[in-house]
Structure formats: C-alpha cells, structure tokens
Amino acid sequence: MDLQWALYIAVAAGALFTVLSRDPRRQVLVFGLYGVLLSMLFIALHAPDVALSELAVGSVALPFVIVVTLMKTRGPQA
Amino acid sequence: MNTHVRSALLAVSLSCFALILGWAFLTLPQYAESLHAGEQRVLAHAVRAGGATNLDAFVNFDYRGLDTMGEEFIMFAAVAGLALVLRASRGELEHGETAPVEDRKPPPPGLLIRWIGPIGCAAIAVFGFYVILHGQLTPGGGFQGGAITASGLLLLYLAFGEQPFQDEMTVDRLDPGEAVGVVGYVLVGLSALASGSLFLHNLLSKQPLGQLYSGGTIFVLNFLVGIAVTFGFLTIFSEYLKEMRLSKQPSADE
C-alpha cells in the first residue's frame, strides 16, 4: 500500500512537471518519464497488461509522433 | 467573457469536481478485496472452461471477443485514415511513390548504435513475439506485444538511417500485413459461425491449463491481433518518417 501511495504522488508530480515544461522538446522527454511512472503505478495496481500498453505507447509511439510533428511545423532545428 | 470571469468559473468547477472526486475516493471499496457476483462467475468460468490464466485476455478474446474486434477496427481505421491523409497530401495516391527529397543531412549513425541497434532490435522483437504468443497465460497479448515489436523495429531506423528503413518498410509490405491481421480476426469469427456456433465462439479444444494452446481460439486471435498491431504501428512510423523527409523551411508554408 505504501508503494501505491508513493507512486500516486510521483505520478501527480510527473503530470505537474509535464504541464509546467514550456519548451515542447523538453516536454516530450518529461512526458516519457511520466509514462514510465504511470506504468509503474499500473503495475502496483495489479494491472500488468495496461502497464505494458502504457510503456509501449507512452515511451515510443507518442514521443515519436510529437517530435515528428514539431519538426514538421517548426522546421529542422537542432 | 474576460479572463477573470473565466478563471472564476474554472475555480468553481474545479473545486466542485475535487469535492465529488474526493467523496468518490473515500467511498470506494477497499482495493482488490471484494468481488462482485458477476466477477466471481467470470473467474470460475474462465479457469474451468476457458482455459486461460490471463483473465484479462480471456475476457477480451473469449467472453467479449466482439468488443476486441471493434477495437481492432478502430486501430485499423485510425492507421488507414492517417495513411490516407498523409499520402494524399504528398501526392502519392495518383503518382505512386514520390521522389525522396532530402533537405537535411542527418549525421551518419555512430559505431555503437550500428551494433547495438540490430542486437537490441532482435532481443526486443523476440520478447515482443513472446508477449504476443503467451497472451492467454501471462500479462500482455496481441496489442502489447505488437506495440513492443514495432518499437523494437524502430531501432533499425536509428541504426541504419532513414533510407534503408524506408526501403524495407515499403507500402506494399505493410498494408497487406495489417489487412491480414484484421481480416483474419473476422474470418476466425466467421468460421465459428460456419460450424454452427455463435460468432467468435471459442471452438478449439482447451489443452491442460498453462500450456501454450490452452486458450483455444484466444491463441489464434492474439496472434492475428499482434500481426495487425505490429504492421499498424510500423505504418504509423513509416508515414511519419516520410513526412519528416519532405520537411522544407517553414516560412514557405506559414
């Protein structure tokens, strides 16, 4: 139960930091970390299928799509 | 409606939401200690007659296989819509493949990624196949394993550069792959109809619990969903990478 509470607080903090990151490229990385924390929360809540889905989508697919969209709309910056 | 009124409305609605959410949290039953009557019956039926130890997969593919078929079609429609929009905007629908336009020259991949990329991709792909095939026994299943496998194949893009990746993930390899997965799911369901049972009824025999084939049609449906999801994700990655290829200076477009 303590692990669940710790992960709840960590997920809330991760969401807060994701929203407070103003630069989109930095926000994508913070969002990836938030996805990992959320996946750990799902494991602690005895939902491993959801945790696997969240890991695959939130760490790879979603940051990939966001980065490509950023590059497409803002031009090839470093 | 200026900013202050909006902020006040937001504060009021957020506080009401917080109150109701807090009350809901406090009156929830204690986690994982009480089962409803419906859940108990599904549990009993799943282990005895369903033959699957991953109850999530059992509910998704045996009990409510029709809903999972709808989810598969949702993913298929999303990928098809994305491919349609992006390929049409690039002009590929009338003229076939567009000529690759390289405006930016990314640096060639370093030595480390050229070695670790294929090895890591092989390891991740094997793990992804394991997750797909053992969907009825261990956590995972078709969607999770497909997403893992496609993400592992993305390592090859990092390792070898974009052009070799696009040469392998061509449209006429990816599109039929996804179609095989989605159509196969429907055909499995129809084959149940053809033998006189309900649509998507679990026909195949249930081997002893814990073996690879213990789920009956859950195994076949998991495999087909894994194929559909892998190729769907690869289509998404390929289409987005092609969009990156054609990116010119933004001032010309905006």
Side-chain angles (χ1 to χ4, degrees):
Chain A
M1 280 308 290
D2 294 328
L3 181 65
Q4 276 186 22
W5 280 109
L7 281 172
Y8 276 127
I9 296 173
V11 162
L16 188 68
F17 284 131
T18 307
V19 169
L20 289 180
S21 314
R22 287 289 98 192
D23 185 19
R25 288 167 295 169
R26 188 173 304 172
Q27 195 177 25
V28 164
L29 292 175
V30 180
F31 179 76
L33 184 60
Y34 165 76
V36 173
L37 285 175
L38 194 62
S39 158
M40 292 204 298
L41 174 67
F42 290 150
I43 294 180
L45 290 175
H46 304 278
D49 293 302
V50 185
L52 275 177
S53 297
E54 164 64 29
L55 261 184
V57 166
S59 307
V60 177
L62 199 59
F64 178 84
V65 165
I66 293 179
V67 164
V68 171
T69 309
L70 277 179
M71 231 203 87
K72 185 77 176 160
T73 53
R74 296 184 175 206
Q77 299 163 0
Chain B
M1 178 175 295
N2 58 359
T3 312
H4 294 295
V5 177
R6 265 208 301 264
S7 305
L9 275 180
L10 178 66
V12 167
S13 62
L14 272 185
S15 51
C16 289
F17 182 67
L19 278 176
I20 297 180
L21 195 64
W23 174 69
F25 272 148
L26 288 175
T27 58
L28 276 177
Q30 192 64 8
Y31 183 73
E33 278 179 11
S34 67
L35 289 176
H36 305 174
E39 294 173 2
Q40 284 170 344
R41 294 178 74 170
V42 168
L43 274 181
H45 174 69
V47 177
R48 190 179 60 240
T53 47
N54 182 9
L55 295 174
D56 207 10
F58 170 73
V59 171
N60 273 334
F61 287 104
D62 189 335
Y63 232 47
R64 300 303 309 171
L66 192 63
D67 300 341
T68 308
M69 189 175 81
E71 287 177 14
E72 273 319 294
F73 275 97
I74 288 176
M75 167 138 200
F76 180 71
V79 173
L82 176 78
L84 179 69
V85 165
L86 289 184
R87 288 178 198 172
S89 76
R90 283 195 299 265
E92 281 175 20
L93 292 185
E94 300 94 14
H95 312 118
E97 285 290 331
T98 59
V101 176
E102 274 291 340
D103 277 340
R104 21 164 229 110
K105 293 285 180 283
L111 181 67
L112 199 60
I113 186 65
R114 261 185 295 143
W115 277 98
I116 292 193
I119 296 176
C121 168
I124 293 178
V126 167
F127 179 67
F129 293 154
Y130 156 76
V131 169
I132 293 178
L133 292 177
H134 287 74
Q136 71 275 9
L137 300 174
T138 54
F143 177 78
Q144 288 89 344
I148 291 174
T149 307
S151 308
L153 287 176
L154 200 58
L155 271 179
L156 294 179
Y157 158 73
L158 283 177
F160 295 121
E162 188 189 338
Q163 193 57 42
F165 185 76
Q166 297 286 15
D167 288 340
E168 288 301 314
M169 310 288 172
T170 56
V171 166
D172 48 356
R173 277 186 205 171
L174 294 180
D175 287 351
E178 197 185 1
V180 158
V182 177
V183 169
Y185 198 109
V186 178
L187 283 182
V188 168
L190 286 177
S191 70
L193 264 184
S195 73
S197 315
L198 308 167
F199 186 65
L200 280 175
H201 186 69
N202 203 340
L203 275 187
L204 307 176
S205 67
K206 318 289 194 314
Q207 300 289 336
L209 196 66
Q211 300 284 336
L212 195 57
Y213 302 109
S214 65
T217 46
I218 298 180
F219 174 71
V220 182
L221 292 177
N222 250 328
F223 183 65
L224 291 167
V225 166
I227 290 180
V229 168
T230 306
F231 282 100
F233 266 95
L234 284 177
T235 307
I236 293 177
F237 293 152
S238 166
E239 291 300 322
Y240 269 99
L241 283 179
K242 284 189 218 166
E243 282 296 310
M244 260 193 358
R245 174 196 289 176
L246 294 177
S247 66
K248 299 202 188 293
Q249 294 78 10
S251 55
D253 299 319
E254 294 177 19

